[in-house]
Amino acid sequence: MNDATEQLHGVGLVVRGLRKSFNGQEVLHGIDFAVQPGEIFVIMGPSGSGKSVLLKHLIGLEPPDAGDILINAEPITTPEIAAKYRMALVFQSGALLNSLTVGENVGLYLTEHRLKPAAEIEKIVMQKLADVGLQDVMEKMPGELSGGMKKRAAIARALVIEPQLILYDEPTSELDPLSAVVIGDEILELNQRIGVTTVVVSHDRELAFGIADRIAVMSEGKILAIGTPDEVKKTLDPAVQDFLRADFRRKK
């Protein structure tokens, strides 16, 4: 950590027996995993594996048919329990409002809920943008930013609430390789500096193996493997190996 006075404040997350069906078709088949406070946990797998549905459950956008989601051993089944913990989601698209400046987007939650005076909100916004290397774009409009800058602005907006758990939905999608590396470095640096528990949903294998403490590989609504990057690489499950080794092959 950069500042010895800062304390780890990430929360523990446990998912137990999580099931979800849509129109009679089961999408999540009894998902089980645990994330330690301050850990970077990456959930990866091919499209259609259930990653996005799982993420919606973790942030409370979808209720499970069965199973439990616990934060610090408390089931988040009521608004009162969920409200005890600060959770933030960085959307795949960034989800910035085009009618607002970048600074207004980042401070929107504080402004709408009137949580702090305007001058203090401006100071917080400037700091969070500086934290992600965007200190000079506060007055710009989202349309003036590159894809990578939009993602970093979305991260700054999530940081405004001082999250204990931050979830990223495909943070490197639609980015060029250099911008993807910048986002991966940003996730790592924030985790190390403020100790936030980090869950990343992605199909980006390079990102997963570059930043994760542990990885869960999903396929068809099930978790096939969980472990450190080295452990996952060595798993014998053929579906896991197929996903990890998938590549273009030129036909002769």
Side-chain angles (χ1 to χ4, degrees):
M1 299 175 70
N2 293 343
D3 185 345
T5 65
E6 290 187 81
Q7 300 294 318
L8 292 177
H9 66 288
V11 293
L13 172 68
V14 173
V15 176
R16 197 167 55 195
L18 200 68
R19 293 184 176 274
K20 185 66 177 183
S21 296
F22 295 103
N23 299 320
Q25 182 173 354
E26 195 166 35
V27 178
L28 299 179
H29 301 268
I31 300 294
D32 295 283
F33 64 86
V35 183
Q36 301 302 313
E39 183 177 27
I40 298 180
F41 188 83
V42 177
I43 302 166
M44 70 173 183
S47 298
S49 60
K51 305 187 305 296
S52 294
V53 175
L54 175 58
L55 182 65
K56 289 178 180 178
H57 282 77
L58 299 182
I59 203 67
L61 297 178
E62 283 283 355
D65 294 336
D68 297 299
I69 300 171
L70 302 95
I71 294 181
N72 283 356
E74 292 188 284
I76 53 171
T77 53
T78 66
E80 291 77 19
I81 296 296
K84 286 179 61 176
Y85 302 102
R86 299 186 303 278
M87 297 180 284
L89 172 63
V90 178
F91 293 92
Q92 179 176 343
S93 64
L96 301 178
L97 298 177
N98 290 325
S99 60
L100 302 179
T101 66
V102 173
E104 288 169 339
N105 268 281
V106 173
L108 185 60
Y109 180 84
L110 298 180
T111 302
E112 283 199 333
H113 294 274
R114 300 179 180 179
L115 297 178
K116 295 181 183 295
E120 189 173 350
I121 291 175
E122 182 177 359
K123 183 178 178 181
I124 291 169
V125 168
M126 290 176 65
Q127 179 60 57
K128 299 311 177 186
L129 284 169
D131 286 345
V132 297
L134 294 179
Q135 57 269 25
D136 298 325
V137 306
M138 189 164 172
E139 300 303 323
K140 291 183 179 293
M141 303 302 289
E144 300 178 76
L145 304 185
S146 67
M149 293 169 76
K150 288 179 182 177
K151 299 267 187 173
R152 283 188 281 156
I155 294 172
R157 182 176 57 190
L159 294 177
V160 160
I161 68 167
E162 301 290 340
Q164 297 164 293
L165 170 65
I166 187 166
L167 303 105
Y168 296 86
D169 183 13
E170 298 286 0
T172 57
S173 67
E174 302 177 2
L175 297 182
D176 63 80
L178 288 176
S179 296
V181 169
V182 170
I183 293 299
D185 287 344
E186 202 67 60
I187 293 171
L188 269 174
E189 194 276 333
L190 288 171
N191 174 264
Q192 293 166 357
R193 179 165 56 82
I194 65 175
V196 62
T197 303
T198 304
V199 176
V200 180
V201 169
S202 179
H203 65 269
D204 185 335
R205 293 168 297 183
E206 290 189 14
L207 175 73
F209 286 105
I211 68 171
D213 294 310
R214 288 187 304 134
I215 295 170
V217 181
M218 286 189 70
S219 180
E220 298 182 346
K222 300 176 183 177
I223 291 182
L224 303 182
I226 294 181
T228 65
D230 284 342
E231 289 169 344
V232 168
K233 286 179 181 178
K234 294 174 183 176
T235 187
L236 300 179
D237 189 295
V240 174
Q241 288 301 321
D242 286 347
F243 175 72
L244 296 182
R245 294 174 180 172
D247 206 348
F248 288 106
R249 293 178 177 84
R250 183 183 295 274
K251 294 183 179 179
K252 296 182 179 180

